[in-house]
Amino acid sequence: MAGTPEFDLYRPSEEHDMLRDTVRSLAEAKIAPYAAAVDEEARFPQEALDALVSSDLHAVHVPETYGGAGADALATVIVIEEVARVCASSSLIPAVNKLGSLPVILSGSEDLKKKYLGPLAKGDAMFSYCLSEPDAGSDAAGMKTRAVRDGDHYILNGVKRWITNAGVSEYYTVMAVTDPEKRSKGISAFVVEKSDEGVSFGAPEKKLGIKGSPTREVYLDNVRIPADRMIGAEGTGFATAMKTLDHTRITIAAQALGIAQGALDYAKGYVQERKQFGKPIGDFQGVQFMLADMAMKIEAARQLTYAAAAKSERGDSDLTFQGAAAKCFASDVAMEVTTDAVQLLGGYGYTRDYPVERMMRDAKITQIYEGTNQVQRIVMARNLP
């Protein structure tokens, strides 16, 4: 699964196609059967984690140098897309592993990379990302978590909110203020371990969707960590955080894409079996038009997402715009397509006996996290090609 950065923008390589087949088979056999129960019970999808780790698909982005698969950005997108097609909660395992660890990959010292990427690649640990706070959501630079130097250590105090897979992950990339006078340029990034004294977690949030992925607050109470756990130089944390999101918004686009594709696939099968007025409802033009629009928008989202993945791999100068565009467009498509899928199933679509209502609930968060779609439009406007 070595990286192939020269892949065609609009035609994934044979290796990518083979990867898709592998992930789809795995997802349908070992993740899909548990998706409804994971949602109903709001429990972590351990079966999915076990299946992904056993197939080395839980953190494919980790470079080969550190024991990873060395997958390129498109391969990572394909993994997330195919898992999300059957279970959005489970797709957050590879997605958030990338989100949490990418700051280390982008800006961390060689020692940090060796220490933390190896266990991640082996499946011995997961990685989460701590940026948002109770009073710092879209305005992330307004965070209050502090990191104060104390000899060869930093002492961290604060609260992080909306942290995906909190409590399950062993490692956390934490953004904290080291110089309050400099606002965004006074923020630094650190690796905090779950086992560090003073780290604790709030109760799991009771959410509309992605119920299988725990979302909790992370409390930092006089957490004392070695200074060499800082990611990059002091004051560069916010820049690293934003650079990370340029890449990982594409993984949220992939998740949205997978959710939408799963909903369309289920609706296509349903309308061929459901009969009214003596024939399958799929034979009616009104239904056909809905399916055509759904498929058309999904394909547009896929092309935009894959093109953005290619730009992520190359580090193109317009990545900020393209990543925001892919995330914004794909998530809007996912919300629209899943809503239409519920409509196509009629009353059945509104019940938990069928998966499309779960897909519709799961789709909503893709318009909100890693920057709301309103923020994405601001980002695009400020970075017009």
Side-chain angles (χ1 to χ4, degrees):
M1 204 186 295
T4 52
E6 72 281 358
F7 60 77
D8 188 300
L9 275 179
Y10 301 104
R11 186 178 302 142
S13 68
E14 183 178 348
E15 189 178 22
H16 289 114
D17 291 338
M18 289 171 60
L19 173 64
R20 183 188 303 281
D21 292 342
T22 298
V23 182
R24 180 166 294 195
S25 296
L26 177 85
E28 290 182 345
K30 297 187 176 181
I31 298 176
Y34 304 100
V38 162
D39 176 73
E40 192 74 24
E41 299 163 19
R43 65 171 178 83
F44 182 76
Q46 187 63 45
E47 299 89 351
L49 177 60
D50 293 343
L52 291 167
V53 168
S54 67
S55 298
D56 200 17
L57 294 169
H58 60 290
V60 294
H61 69 285
V62 177
E64 292 176 341
T65 310
Y66 308 104
D72 59 48
L74 179 58
T76 306
V77 157
I78 289 170
V79 170
I80 294 165
E81 176 188 354
E82 288 299 326
V83 175
R85 180 175 165 269
V86 301
C87 180
S89 292
S90 298
S91 72
L92 282 163
I93 294 170
V96 175
N97 275 338
K98 180 169 182 176
L99 173 64
S101 64
L102 197 59
V104 175
I105 293 173
L106 292 174
S107 305
S109 67
E110 194 60 30
D111 286 344
L112 271 189
K113 291 176 184 178
K114 289 176 180 175
K115 182 174 181 179
Y116 292 108
L117 298 180
L120 175 63
K122 289 178 188 173
D124 293 340
M126 289 169 57
F127 230 121
S128 287
Y129 184 81
C130 298
L131 178 64
S132 296
E133 295 184 6
D135 295 316
S138 294
D139 179 19
M143 68 178 65
K144 296 175 182 174
T145 296
R146 290 293 310 275
V148 178
R149 184 83 186 226
D150 181 27
D152 292 334
H153 291 75
Y154 279 90
I155 298 174
L156 278 63
N157 282 282
V159 179
K160 293 295 180 178
R161 180 170 281 180
W162 312 122
I163 308 307
T164 304
N165 292 340
V168 179
S169 294
E170 288 293 327
Y171 305 144
Y172 299 81
T173 290
V174 175
M175 305 298 163
V177 178
T178 45
D179 187 343
E181 302 299 316
K182 295 183 179 178
R183 195 164 159 78
S184 66
K185 292 184 178 174
I187 293 171
S188 302
F190 301 86
V191 177
V192 172
E193 300 180 12
K194 179 181 177 180
S195 58
D196 287 333
E197 187 175 350
V199 175
S200 60
F201 305 95
E205 301 288 350
K206 297 177 181 178
K207 307 190 299 289
L208 174 72
I210 56 164
K211 293 184 177 181
S213 178
T215 305
R216 303 167 73 177
E217 287 188 328
V218 177
Y219 304 126
L220 305 164
D221 183 14
N222 289 322
V223 177
R224 185 181 179 87
I225 62 171
D228 62 10
R229 290 230 218 125
M230 180 181 282
I231 302 170
E234 186 170 308
T236 63
F238 191 76
T240 295
M242 295 301 103
K243 188 175 179 183
T244 295
L245 293 177
D246 284 345
H247 293 275
T248 59
R249 281 171 179 151
I250 300 163
T251 66
I252 301 305
Q255 183 188 46
L257 184 57
I259 295 169
Q261 187 66 59
L264 174 60
D265 290 347
Y266 195 90
K268 278 194 305 184
Y270 179 86
V271 299
Q272 294 307 316
E273 295 178 6
R274 172 69 169 167
K275 292 186 177 180
Q276 292 288 277
F277 307 102
K279 60 181 178 180
I281 63 172
D283 288 352
F284 291 101
Q285 190 179 64
V287 170
Q288 292 171 353
F289 281 6
M290 285 180 71
L291 290 168
D293 281 344
M294 292 159 76
M296 174 178 65
K297 289 167 185 171
I298 289 172
E299 188 54 34
R302 179 171 289 113
Q303 296 296 339
L304 184 57
T305 301
Y306 287 11
K311 290 177 178 294
S312 168
E313 188 65 30
R314 293 191 302 260
D316 287 0
S317 60
D318 59 348
L319 175 61
T320 300
F321 175 89
Q322 294 290 342
K327 188 269 189 193
C328 186
F329 187 79
S331 58
D332 283 350
V333 165
M335 197 68 242
E336 187 175 346
V337 166
T338 54
T339 303
D340 283 348
V342 169
Q343 187 71 24
L344 285 169
L345 267 68
Y348 295 113
Y350 205 66
T351 70
R352 292 205 295 267
D353 295 329
Y354 292 79
V356 291
E357 67 86 32
R358 165 171 52 86
M359 294 170 176
M360 178 178 166
R361 288 186 287 106
D362 288 342
K364 185 62 198 172
I365 192 61
T366 65
Q367 294 180 304
I368 297 172
Y369 59 14
E370 291 207 29
T372 65
N373 281 6
Q374 287 70 33
V375 166
Q376 301 311 311
R377 287 173 167 88
I378 293 171
V379 170
M380 284 186 276
R382 289 176 178 172
N383 293 276
L384 291 173

